[in-house]
Every structure is written in structure tokens, then in C-alpha cells.
Amino acid sequence: MSARLSAQEKAAVVVLGMDEDIAAEVLGKIDEATLKKLVECVGKMGTVPVEEIESTFDEFVGRMQTPVLASGSGDYLRKLTQAAIGDDRARRVFGEELDLTNSLDALRSARASTLAELLLEEHPQLAAVIVSQLPREQAAKVMLAMPPDRQVDLLARVGELGEIPAQAVAAASDALVRALDAAGGLTRRDQVHAFDGVVFAAELLNEIAPQDTERLLGGIEESNPKLAPKIRDAMFTFEDLIRIDSRQISQLMREVNADTLLVALKQASEALREHFFAAVSSRAAAQMREDFAVMKPMRLSDIERGQREIVEIASRLAAEGRLTLPGKNEEML
């Protein structure tokens, strides 16, 4: 055959000569980078002489007719399958499913720095899915072991997760576990699991230092303004203030408008109201109770706005080192 056409040009000629449905199916199996090269190749190709097209298809058909239907054809098919989809997936196709019952345990026992380094080589979305399967404390350490820009991206992706695709977890975990020299495995490949990414992202931030929390949230506010407030709201709720000691509650109350506090307490639990009342003098507490008793009915949106304002003040004081906000899994100080 003439050498005028490169291998990429030959591939383009074959694809363009296929039936439309078959060509679409073939292109659907090609990874994005290869497909981009193919598109660029087609764009640069000029008119291809008929004899070049014919010789290209003759070569293609000749390769397709390589005799393999003899003894050992199964081995040849296995070789083709391994080349097409990789060793791990090929084993599953040929009924040689690996014992993958402990992959999450293997990942959870890995050093955070090592796992972070491996995850940097994965697609960011897959990395986010894997991190979402780790215990919060380990997930936070893995995130902080990454470069700052990847930390923000990872947290944002975790926050946007609405379900966990088991197939993606399995594919990424298999490679990670083998890289960690551990045995592994996961759940059924046809499952997805409901997942609240906002809550998990908030729990990650509750595990790290306030300065890191503000840095990461600041990065998310720039890249995803709608996600950042959702994570902030989930990080620390108004009811969580009951876990702050009376001394710090008194400090918080000095920063909060008295009317705003009464509005916020309108829908609070009785225990939280009493926690605030106990943080002031008996005279001041009596006045607050009296004011609270004569309050007119409030719109829920106004109450929630007041609660958010107080939580934001508490978060600011914590970032300034003037208040300590306990994590979700901590007892009241």
C-alpha cells in the first residue's frame, strides 16, 4: 500500500467509510484524547484519491481476516479483550472476578500522604468520589495533603455529589488498592448510593483548623458561589450553639443585636433558649424571657435569616480565634 496516508489518516478513512450507526458506536468507544486527534486529522485531510481509499480498506479487511479460529482462539480473544479494556475488567468478563471484599478497608488504612499522591493522578471527579468513602478525619487529612488549588477543587466536587456511582468507585479503587499493594474490592457495579455531598464537605471542614476552613471556603466562593453558602450552613447550625460553653455564649451575645437574637430564638429548642438565658445575669435573663413572651408571630424566613446571621458571627469569631466551635462529633465544652 502507498505510504502517503499516515496511520491516523487510515483510521479516519475507515471510520468515515463505515455505516453511520456502526461509526457512531465505534467513536463512542474511543477516549476523548484519541477522538480529538481523529477530528483534527480529518480537518487537515484533503481529498483522498479513490485508489488510496481502496487500498486502505483492503489493508483493513486483510487484518480483519487474520485466521484466529483455531485452537487457542480463546487466548487470542482474551488478549484482545485485555488490550481493549484492561486486565481487571477483562478478568471480570471472563468470569475471573477478583476477591475484592476489602478494598475500602485497604484505602482506609493507607497513609493520607500516600493516598493523596495517588489521587492526584486520578480524574478529579473520581478522586472526590473516593474521598467521600473515607472516614471524615482521614478524608480531611488526604485533602490537606494535596496542593491548595486541588484542595478547593476536591472540596467543591465533594460538595456537589448527589449520589455515589458504585461503578466509578470500583474502577478507581481497584487501581488504587493495587498501587498500595493491598487486596481489594467493592460493591456491585450496577448500584448507586444516595449521598449528601454538602453535608460531607461540611463535616470535612469541621475536622480541620479554622484558618484552613476559611481558605478553602474562600476558594469555593470564588469558583462556585452557590455551593459555598450551602456548605457554610451545613457546617454549623444554630442549634449547634448549645455545645458552646456559657462564657463563650456570653461573648457571642455581645456581638449580636438583641432583637436579632430574640427573633432567632423563636424557633429554637427550649434547651437552646435556656442555654442563652443562662449565659447572662438573672435580671437580663428575666428581661429576655419577658420580651420573648410578648413577641408577635414571625415569618419563618425572618427567623432563619436571624439564625444564619448569628451563626455567621460565631464563625467569624472562631476564625479570629475568639470563639471555639466544636465539631459535629464533639460534646459541648
Side-chain angles (χ1 to χ4, degrees):
M1 174 181 175
S2 170
R4 282 177 46 186
L5 295 182
S6 67
Q8 286 187 353
E9 289 171 334
K10 293 177 184 178
V13 168
V14 170
V15 171
L16 292 174
M18 290 179 177
D19 176 81
E20 183 175 344
D21 291 338
I22 296 176
E25 185 174 353
V26 170
L27 293 177
K29 304 295 185 181
I30 299 176
D31 64 83
E32 186 174 341
T34 303
L35 185 58
K36 184 177 181 180
K37 291 180 181 179
L38 184 63
V39 170
E40 292 174 349
C41 178
V42 171
K44 295 177 182 178
M45 287 176 62
T47 301
V48 180
V50 175
E51 59 271 18
E52 291 290 345
I53 296 175
E54 291 178 347
S55 60
T56 296
F57 272 95
D58 286 344
E59 181 180 348
F60 178 70
V61 172
R63 293 187 176 184
M64 290 292 291
Q65 290 177 338
T66 301
V68 297
L69 296 179
S71 61
S73 59
D75 292 337
Y76 183 73
L77 180 59
R78 183 189 300 273
K79 180 179 178 181
L80 291 179
T81 305
Q82 288 173 333
I85 65 176
D87 291 345
D88 293 341
R89 292 174 63 191
R91 289 190 184 97
R92 292 195 286 271
V93 169
F94 281 89
E96 299 174 356
E97 186 72 36
L98 297 176
D99 180 13
L100 301 177
T101 57
N102 299 311
S103 69
L104 284 180
D105 288 340
L107 294 181
R108 289 167 178 164
S109 64
R111 293 179 58 183
S113 58
T114 303
L115 187 52
E117 183 177 350
L118 291 172
L119 287 175
L120 288 174
E121 302 299 322
E122 295 291 334
H123 187 283
Q125 191 65 22
L126 281 178
V129 170
I130 292 298
V131 167
S132 73
Q133 301 300 292
L134 303 175
R136 292 193 302 271
E137 182 179 359
Q138 184 192 14
K141 291 179 180 178
V142 169
M143 178 176 65
L144 290 180
M146 294 181 173
D149 59 329
R150 286 296 297 271
Q151 294 176 22
V152 173
D153 179 71
L154 178 70
L155 187 64
R157 289 176 184 274
V158 168
E160 292 179 322
L161 288 175
E163 61 180 21
I164 298 298
Q167 183 175 2
V169 176
S173 296
D174 289 353
L176 287 171
V177 168
R178 284 168 175 75
L180 292 166
D181 292 324
L186 287 171
T187 57
R188 288 166 51 93
R189 267 66 173 175
D190 58 350
Q191 297 175 341
V192 293
H193 306 286
F195 184 76
D196 194 331
V198 169
V199 170
F200 191 84
E203 291 174 341
L204 283 185
L205 293 177
N206 279 332
E207 295 289 340
I208 64 181
Q211 59 268 27
D212 287 323
T213 295
E214 289 304 313
R215 174 178 58 81
L216 291 169
L217 280 173
I220 291 181
E221 284 172 347
E222 293 181 3
S223 62
N224 195 333
K226 293 183 178 179
L227 178 62
K230 293 179 181 178
I231 296 177
R232 282 190 183 276
D233 288 344
M235 277 186 65
F236 199 85
T237 67
F238 188 66
E239 282 293 328
D240 290 327
L241 293 173
I242 199 172
R243 300 204 306 280
I244 297 178
D245 65 31
S246 295
R247 179 181 57 81
Q248 295 195 79
I249 283 291
S250 297
Q251 184 172 354
L252 173 62
M253 292 174 72
R254 288 194 289 271
E255 302 285 331
V256 175
N257 179 277
D259 291 336
T260 300
L261 177 58
L262 289 176
V263 169
L265 291 174
K266 191 69 175 176
Q267 286 291 327
S269 66
E270 182 177 354
L272 181 57
R273 287 200 298 268
E274 291 300 322
H275 190 51
F276 274 94
F277 296 158
V280 297
S281 67
S282 57
R283 182 178 178 180
Q287 183 62 54
M288 289 180 66
R289 287 190 176 92
E290 183 179 335
D291 293 340
F292 186 80
V294 298
M295 282 184 65
K296 296 179 180 180
M298 305 290 298
R299 291 185 300 181
L300 181 60
S301 59
D302 292 333
I303 296 172
E304 291 176 341
R305 186 181 304 112
Q307 292 182 349
R308 283 197 300 272
E309 181 178 335
I310 294 174
V311 168
E312 288 172 0
I313 292 174
S315 297
R316 174 174 59 79
L317 292 176
E320 295 171 357
R322 299 163 59 192
L323 194 72
T324 301
L325 298 182
K328 292 282 186 178
N329 57 344
E330 295 179 23
E331 299 296 330
M332 186 172 67
L333 298 177

